[in-house]
PDB file of all heavy atoms in Angstrom:
ATOM      1  N   LEU A 206       2.988  -9.769  17.097  1.00 95.00           N
ATOM      2  CA  LEU A 206       2.924  -8.318  16.918  1.00 95.00           C
ATOM      3  C   LEU A 206       3.769  -7.887  15.727  1.00 95.00           C
ATOM      4  O   LEU A 206       3.344  -7.058  14.910  1.00 95.00           O
ATOM      5  CB  LEU A 206       3.403  -7.628  18.186  1.00 95.00           C
ATOM      6  CG  LEU A 206       3.455  -6.083  18.160  1.00 95.00           C
ATOM      7  CD1 LEU A 206       2.074  -5.495  17.920  1.00 95.00           C
ATOM      8  CD2 LEU A 206       4.046  -5.563  19.466  1.00 95.00           C
ATOM      9  N   ASP A 207       4.957  -8.455  15.619  1.00 96.00           N
ATOM     10  CA  ASP A 207       5.843  -8.148  14.492  1.00 96.00           C
ATOM     11  C   ASP A 207       5.166  -8.518  13.173  1.00 96.00           C
ATOM     12  O   ASP A 207       5.240  -7.767  12.186  1.00 96.00           O
ATOM     13  CB  ASP A 207       7.157  -8.916  14.665  1.00 96.00           C
ATOM     14  CG  ASP A 207       8.150  -8.639  13.556  1.00 96.00           C
ATOM     15  OD1 ASP A 207       8.568  -7.477  13.410  1.00 96.00           O
ATOM     16  OD2 ASP A 207       8.511  -9.585  12.822  1.00 96.00           O
ATOM     17  N   PHE A 208       4.489  -9.659  13.153  1.00 96.00           N
ATOM     18  CA  PHE A 208       3.791 -10.113  11.946  1.00 96.00           C
ATOM     19  C   PHE A 208       2.632  -9.176  11.609  1.00 96.00           C
ATOM     20  O   PHE A 208       2.401  -8.836  10.438  1.00 96.00           O
ATOM     21  CB  PHE A 208       3.277 -11.541  12.134  1.00 96.00           C
ATOM     22  CG  PHE A 208       2.604 -12.104  10.920  1.00 96.00           C
ATOM     23  CD1 PHE A 208       3.352 -12.618   9.877  1.00 96.00           C
ATOM     24  CD2 PHE A 208       1.222 -12.098  10.823  1.00 96.00           C
ATOM     25  CE1 PHE A 208       2.721 -13.131   8.734  1.00 96.00           C
ATOM     26  CE2 PHE A 208       0.584 -12.603   9.698  1.00 96.00           C
ATOM     27  CZ  PHE A 208       1.347 -13.123   8.648  1.00 96.00           C
ATOM     28  N   GLN A 209       1.884  -8.742  12.623  1.00 96.00           N
ATOM     29  CA  GLN A 209       0.764  -7.835  12.391  1.00 96.00           C
ATOM     30  C   GLN A 209       1.236  -6.490  11.842  1.00 96.00           C
ATOM     31  O   GLN A 209       0.596  -5.908  10.962  1.00 96.00           O
ATOM     32  CB  GLN A 209      -0.009  -7.625  13.694  1.00 96.00           C
ATOM     33  CG  GLN A 209      -0.794  -8.850  14.148  1.00 96.00           C
ATOM     34  CD  GLN A 209      -1.463  -8.619  15.490  1.00 96.00           C
ATOM     35  OE1 GLN A 209      -1.026  -7.797  16.291  1.00 96.00           O
ATOM     36  NE2 GLN A 209      -2.528  -9.374  15.742  1.00 96.00           N
ATOM     37  N   LEU A 210       2.360  -6.000  12.358  1.00 96.00           N
ATOM     38  CA  LEU A 210       2.919  -4.741  11.857  1.00 96.00           C
ATOM     39  C   LEU A 210       3.349  -4.895  10.399  1.00 96.00           C
ATOM     40  O   LEU A 210       3.134  -3.985   9.582  1.00 96.00           O
ATOM     41  CB  LEU A 210       4.101  -4.309  12.727  1.00 96.00           C
ATOM     42  CG  LEU A 210       3.725  -3.767  14.111  1.00 96.00           C
ATOM     43  CD1 LEU A 210       4.946  -3.724  15.022  1.00 96.00           C
ATOM     44  CD2 LEU A 210       3.102  -2.382  14.001  1.00 96.00           C
ATOM     45  N   MET A 211       3.944  -6.040  10.080  1.00 96.00           N
ATOM     46  CA  MET A 211       4.339  -6.288   8.696  1.00 96.00           C
ATOM     47  C   MET A 211       3.116  -6.345   7.781  1.00 96.00           C
ATOM     48  O   MET A 211       3.140  -5.824   6.656  1.00 96.00           O
ATOM     49  CB  MET A 211       5.119  -7.595   8.599  1.00 96.00           C
ATOM     50  CG  MET A 211       5.619  -7.908   7.194  1.00 96.00           C
ATOM     51  SD  MET A 211       6.593  -9.437   7.135  1.00 96.00           S
ATOM     52  CE  MET A 211       5.345 -10.644   7.606  1.00 96.00           C
ATOM     53  N   THR A 212       2.034  -6.939   8.280  1.00 96.00           N
ATOM     54  CA  THR A 212       0.797  -7.012   7.509  1.00 96.00           C
ATOM     55  C   THR A 212       0.241  -5.632   7.221  1.00 96.00           C
ATOM     56  O   THR A 212      -0.216  -5.333   6.104  1.00 96.00           O
ATOM     57  CB  THR A 212      -0.258  -7.845   8.259  1.00 96.00           C
ATOM     58  OG1 THR A 212       0.250  -9.169   8.475  1.00 96.00           O
ATOM     59  CG2 THR A 212      -1.561  -7.927   7.469  1.00 96.00           C
ATOM     60  N   GLN A 213       0.281  -4.754   8.219  1.00 95.00           N
ATOM     61  CA  GLN A 213      -0.201  -3.391   8.024  1.00 95.00           C
ATOM     62  C   GLN A 213       0.680  -2.620   7.040  1.00 95.00           C
ATOM     63  O   GLN A 213       0.188  -1.833   6.233  1.00 95.00           O
ATOM     64  CB  GLN A 213      -0.263  -2.654   9.366  1.00 95.00           C
ATOM     65  CG  GLN A 213      -1.369  -3.131  10.283  1.00 95.00           C
ATOM     66  CD  GLN A 213      -2.741  -3.029   9.635  1.00 95.00           C
ATOM     67  OE1 GLN A 213      -3.068  -2.050   8.962  1.00 95.00           O
ATOM     68  NE2 GLN A 213      -3.553  -4.058   9.832  1.00 95.00           N
ATOM     69  N   LEU A 214       1.981  -2.857   7.101  1.00 95.00           N
ATOM     70  CA  LEU A 214       2.878  -2.186   6.163  1.00 95.00           C
ATOM     71  C   LEU A 214       2.610  -2.654   4.736  1.00 95.00           C
ATOM     72  O   LEU A 214       2.640  -1.854   3.792  1.00 95.00           O
ATOM     73  CB  LEU A 214       4.332  -2.471   6.549  1.00 95.00           C
ATOM     74  CG  LEU A 214       5.395  -1.687   5.769  1.00 95.00           C
ATOM     75  CD1 LEU A 214       5.236  -0.181   5.988  1.00 95.00           C
ATOM     76  CD2 LEU A 214       6.792  -2.131   6.179  1.00 95.00           C
ATOM     77  N   LYS A 215       2.333  -3.951   4.584  1.00 96.00           N
ATOM     78  CA  LYS A 215       1.989  -4.486   3.269  1.00 96.00           C
ATOM     79  C   LYS A 215       0.689  -3.870   2.764  1.00 96.00           C
ATOM     80  O   LYS A 215       0.586  -3.469   1.593  1.00 96.00           O
ATOM     81  CB  LYS A 215       1.856  -6.010   3.343  1.00 96.00           C
ATOM     82  CG  LYS A 215       1.374  -6.658   2.051  1.00 96.00           C
ATOM     83  CD  LYS A 215       2.336  -6.418   0.897  1.00 96.00           C
ATOM     84  CE  LYS A 215       1.862  -7.112  -0.364  1.00 96.00           C
ATOM     85  NZ  LYS A 215       2.761  -6.845  -1.523  1.00 96.00           N
ATOM     86  N   SER A 216      -0.301  -3.754   3.640  1.00 95.00           N
ATOM     87  CA  SER A 216      -1.573  -3.133   3.271  1.00 95.00           C
ATOM     88  C   SER A 216      -1.369  -1.672   2.870  1.00 95.00           C
ATOM     89  O   SER A 216      -1.972  -1.176   1.915  1.00 95.00           O
ATOM     90  CB  SER A 216      -2.555  -3.229   4.441  1.00 95.00           C
ATOM     91  OG  SER A 216      -3.784  -2.620   4.127  1.00 95.00           O
ATOM     92  N   TYR A 217      -0.503  -0.997   3.621  1.00 95.00           N
ATOM     93  CA  TYR A 217      -0.163   0.397   3.301  1.00 95.00           C
ATOM     94  C   TYR A 217       0.474   0.479   1.917  1.00 95.00           C
ATOM     95  O   TYR A 217       0.147   1.358   1.109  1.00 95.00           O
ATOM     96  CB  TYR A 217       0.792   0.923   4.365  1.00 95.00           C
ATOM     97  CG  TYR A 217       1.297   2.333   4.152  1.00 95.00           C
ATOM     98  CD1 TYR A 217       0.517   3.432   4.520  1.00 95.00           C
ATOM     99  CD2 TYR A 217       2.554   2.562   3.619  1.00 95.00           C
ATOM    100  CE1 TYR A 217       0.981   4.732   4.339  1.00 95.00           C
ATOM    101  CE2 TYR A 217       3.030   3.855   3.430  1.00 95.00           C
ATOM    102  CZ  TYR A 217       2.239   4.927   3.803  1.00 95.00           C
ATOM    103  OH  TYR A 217       2.718   6.210   3.618  1.00 95.00           O
ATOM    104  N   SER A 218       1.379  -0.467   1.623  1.00 95.00           N
ATOM    105  CA  SER A 218       2.050  -0.501   0.326  1.00 95.00           C
ATOM    106  C   SER A 218       1.055  -0.721  -0.812  1.00 95.00           C
ATOM    107  O   SER A 218       1.115  -0.055  -1.848  1.00 95.00           O
ATOM    108  CB  SER A 218       3.102  -1.612   0.314  1.00 95.00           C
ATOM    109  OG  SER A 218       3.640  -1.794  -0.967  1.00 95.00           O
ATOM    110  N   VAL A 219       0.112  -1.651  -0.612  1.00 94.00           N
ATOM    111  CA  VAL A 219      -0.901  -1.930  -1.632  1.00 94.00           C
ATOM    112  C   VAL A 219      -1.755  -0.693  -1.892  1.00 94.00           C
ATOM    113  O   VAL A 219      -2.065  -0.366  -3.042  1.00 94.00           O
ATOM    114  CB  VAL A 219      -1.785  -3.118  -1.201  1.00 94.00           C
ATOM    115  CG1 VAL A 219      -2.994  -3.268  -2.121  1.00 94.00           C
ATOM    116  CG2 VAL A 219      -0.973  -4.401  -1.187  1.00 94.00           C
ATOM    117  N   HIS A 220      -2.109   0.004  -0.811  1.00 93.00           N
ATOM    118  CA  HIS A 220      -2.909   1.222  -0.950  1.00 93.00           C
ATOM    119  C   HIS A 220      -2.161   2.270  -1.764  1.00 93.00           C
ATOM    120  O   HIS A 220      -2.730   2.907  -2.658  1.00 93.00           O
ATOM    121  CB  HIS A 220      -3.256   1.776   0.433  1.00 93.00           C
ATOM    122  CG  HIS A 220      -4.185   2.941   0.415  1.00 93.00           C
ATOM    123  ND1 HIS A 220      -5.552   2.815   0.516  1.00 93.00           N
ATOM    124  CD2 HIS A 220      -3.942   4.270   0.276  1.00 93.00           C
ATOM    125  CE1 HIS A 220      -6.115   4.003   0.452  1.00 93.00           C
ATOM    126  NE2 HIS A 220      -5.147   4.908   0.313  1.00 93.00           N
ATOM    127  N   LEU A 221      -0.890   2.452  -1.460  1.00 93.00           N
ATOM    128  CA  LEU A 221      -0.103   3.442  -2.192  1.00 93.00           C
ATOM    129  C   LEU A 221       0.069   3.046  -3.657  1.00 93.00           C
ATOM    130  O   LEU A 221       0.010   3.897  -4.547  1.00 93.00           O
ATOM    131  CB  LEU A 221       1.270   3.603  -1.535  1.00 93.00           C
ATOM    132  CG  LEU A 221       1.312   4.214  -0.138  1.00 93.00           C
ATOM    133  CD1 LEU A 221       2.760   4.444   0.280  1.00 93.00           C
ATOM    134  CD2 LEU A 221       0.544   5.529  -0.070  1.00 93.00           C
ATOM    135  N   GLN A 222       0.283   1.744  -3.895  1.00 95.00           N
ATOM    136  CA  GLN A 222       0.454   1.287  -5.266  1.00 95.00           C
ATOM    137  C   GLN A 222      -0.811   1.512  -6.082  1.00 95.00           C
ATOM    138  O   GLN A 222      -0.747   1.854  -7.273  1.00 95.00           O
ATOM    139  CB  GLN A 222       0.842  -0.191  -5.272  1.00 95.00           C
ATOM    140  CG  GLN A 222       2.260  -0.451  -4.777  1.00 95.00           C
ATOM    141  CD  GLN A 222       2.565  -1.924  -4.632  1.00 95.00           C
ATOM    142  OE1 GLN A 222       1.953  -2.765  -5.283  1.00 95.00           O
ATOM    143  NE2 GLN A 222       3.497  -2.247  -3.758  1.00 95.00           N
ATOM    144  N   SER A 223      -1.967   1.333  -5.448  1.00 93.00           N
ATOM    145  CA  SER A 223      -3.231   1.596  -6.122  1.00 93.00           C
ATOM    146  C   SER A 223      -3.345   3.075  -6.487  1.00 93.00           C
ATOM    147  O   SER A 223      -3.771   3.441  -7.586  1.00 93.00           O
ATOM    148  CB  SER A 223      -4.397   1.179  -5.222  1.00 93.00           C
ATOM    149  OG  SER A 223      -5.635   1.532  -5.808  1.00 93.00           O
ATOM    150  N   HIS A 224      -2.928   3.931  -5.563  1.00 92.00           N
ATOM    151  CA  HIS A 224      -2.945   5.376  -5.787  1.00 92.00           C
ATOM    152  C   HIS A 224      -1.991   5.751  -6.918  1.00 92.00           C
ATOM    153  O   HIS A 224      -2.328   6.530  -7.812  1.00 92.00           O
ATOM    154  CB  HIS A 224      -2.538   6.077  -4.492  1.00 92.00           C
ATOM    155  CG  HIS A 224      -2.729   7.551  -4.502  1.00 92.00           C
ATOM    156  ND1 HIS A 224      -3.965   8.144  -4.334  1.00 92.00           N
ATOM    157  CD2 HIS A 224      -1.841   8.568  -4.661  1.00 92.00           C
ATOM    158  CE1 HIS A 224      -3.825   9.464  -4.383  1.00 92.00           C
ATOM    159  NE2 HIS A 224      -2.539   9.744  -4.582  1.00 92.00           N
ATOM    160  N   ILE A 225      -0.795   5.176  -6.883  1.00 94.00           N
ATOM    161  CA  ILE A 225       0.202   5.454  -7.915  1.00 94.00           C
ATOM    162  C   ILE A 225      -0.275   4.942  -9.271  1.00 94.00           C
ATOM    163  O   ILE A 225      -0.060   5.585 -10.312  1.00 94.00           O
ATOM    164  CB  ILE A 225       1.552   4.812  -7.540  1.00 94.00           C
ATOM    165  CG1 ILE A 225       2.138   5.531  -6.324  1.00 94.00           C
ATOM    166  CG2 ILE A 225       2.535   4.859  -8.707  1.00 94.00           C
ATOM    167  CD1 ILE A 225       3.354   4.855  -5.738  1.00 94.00           C
ATOM    168  N   GLY A 226      -0.952   3.784  -9.264  1.00 95.00           N
ATOM    169  CA  GLY A 226      -1.479   3.238 -10.502  1.00 95.00           C
ATOM    170  C   GLY A 226      -2.478   4.188 -11.154  1.00 95.00           C
ATOM    171  O   GLY A 226      -2.487   4.360 -12.380  1.00 95.00           O
ATOM    172  N   LEU A 227      -3.311   4.808 -10.348  1.00 94.00           N
ATOM    173  CA  LEU A 227      -4.281   5.768 -10.859  1.00 94.00           C
ATOM    174  C   LEU A 227      -3.576   6.963 -11.496  1.00 94.00           C
ATOM    175  O   LEU A 227      -3.945   7.414 -12.590  1.00 94.00           O
ATOM    176  CB  LEU A 227      -5.185   6.242  -9.712  1.00 94.00           C
ATOM    177  CG  LEU A 227      -6.243   7.309 -10.054  1.00 94.00           C
ATOM    178  CD1 LEU A 227      -7.246   6.759 -11.058  1.00 94.00           C
ATOM    179  CD2 LEU A 227      -6.948   7.765  -8.785  1.00 94.00           C
ATOM    180  N   LEU A 228      -2.561   7.473 -10.823  1.00 94.00           N
ATOM    181  CA  LEU A 228      -1.808   8.605 -11.358  1.00 94.00           C
ATOM    182  C   LEU A 228      -1.130   8.230 -12.674  1.00 94.00           C
ATOM    183  O   LEU A 228      -1.151   9.007 -13.647  1.00 94.00           O
ATOM    184  CB  LEU A 228      -0.743   9.058 -10.346  1.00 94.00           C
ATOM    185  CG  LEU A 228      -1.247   9.565  -8.993  1.00 94.00           C
ATOM    186  CD1 LEU A 228      -0.062   9.922  -8.104  1.00 94.00           C
ATOM    187  CD2 LEU A 228      -2.146  10.779  -9.166  1.00 94.00           C
ATOM    188  N   ASN A 229      -0.524   7.048 -12.709  1.00 95.00           N
ATOM    189  CA  ASN A 229       0.186   6.630 -13.912  1.00 95.00           C
ATOM    190  C   ASN A 229      -0.740   6.446 -15.099  1.00 95.00           C
ATOM    191  O   ASN A 229      -0.368   6.720 -16.249  1.00 95.00           O
ATOM    192  CB  ASN A 229       0.966   5.338 -13.649  1.00 95.00           C
ATOM    193  CG  ASN A 229       2.216   5.576 -12.834  1.00 95.00           C
ATOM    194  OD1 ASN A 229       2.776   6.680 -12.829  1.00 95.00           O
ATOM    195  ND2 ASN A 229       2.690   4.551 -12.143  1.00 95.00           N
ATOM    196  N   ARG A 230      -1.973   5.976 -14.836  1.00 95.00           N
ATOM    197  CA  ARG A 230      -2.923   5.816 -15.939  1.00 95.00           C
ATOM    198  C   ARG A 230      -3.261   7.162 -16.570  1.00 95.00           C
ATOM    199  O   ARG A 230      -3.365   7.284 -17.792  1.00 95.00           O
ATOM    200  CB  ARG A 230      -4.191   5.112 -15.437  1.00 95.00           C
ATOM    201  CG  ARG A 230      -4.013   3.627 -15.209  1.00 95.00           C
ATOM    202  CD  ARG A 230      -5.339   2.912 -15.054  1.00 95.00           C
ATOM    203  NE  ARG A 230      -6.050   3.315 -13.853  1.00 95.00           N
ATOM    204  CZ  ARG A 230      -5.859   2.784 -12.652  1.00 95.00           C
ATOM    205  NH1 ARG A 230      -4.947   1.831 -12.490  1.00 95.00           N
ATOM    206  NH2 ARG A 230      -6.556   3.177 -11.603  1.00 95.00           N
ATOM    207  N   TYR A 231      -3.430   8.177 -15.737  1.00 94.00           N
ATOM    208  CA  TYR A 231      -3.729   9.508 -16.269  1.00 94.00           C
ATOM    209  C   TYR A 231      -2.515  10.061 -17.032  1.00 94.00           C
ATOM    210  O   TYR A 231      -2.648  10.630 -18.122  1.00 94.00           O
ATOM    211  CB  TYR A 231      -4.120  10.465 -15.149  1.00 94.00           C
ATOM    212  CG  TYR A 231      -4.465  11.855 -15.649  1.00 94.00           C
ATOM    213  CD1 TYR A 231      -5.705  12.117 -16.232  1.00 94.00           C
ATOM    214  CD2 TYR A 231      -3.539  12.892 -15.563  1.00 94.00           C
ATOM    215  CE1 TYR A 231      -6.021  13.376 -16.703  1.00 94.00           C
ATOM    216  CE2 TYR A 231      -3.847  14.165 -16.032  1.00 94.00           C
ATOM    217  CZ  TYR A 231      -5.089  14.404 -16.604  1.00 94.00           C
ATOM    218  OH  TYR A 231      -5.397  15.662 -17.088  1.00 94.00           O
TER     219      TYR A 231
END
C-alpha cells in the first residue's frame, strides 16, 4: 500500500511537471 501511494504521488508529480512545462514554454 505504501508503495502504491508513492507511485500515485510520482504520477501526480509527473502530471504537474507536464503542466508546468507547458506554462514555461509559453
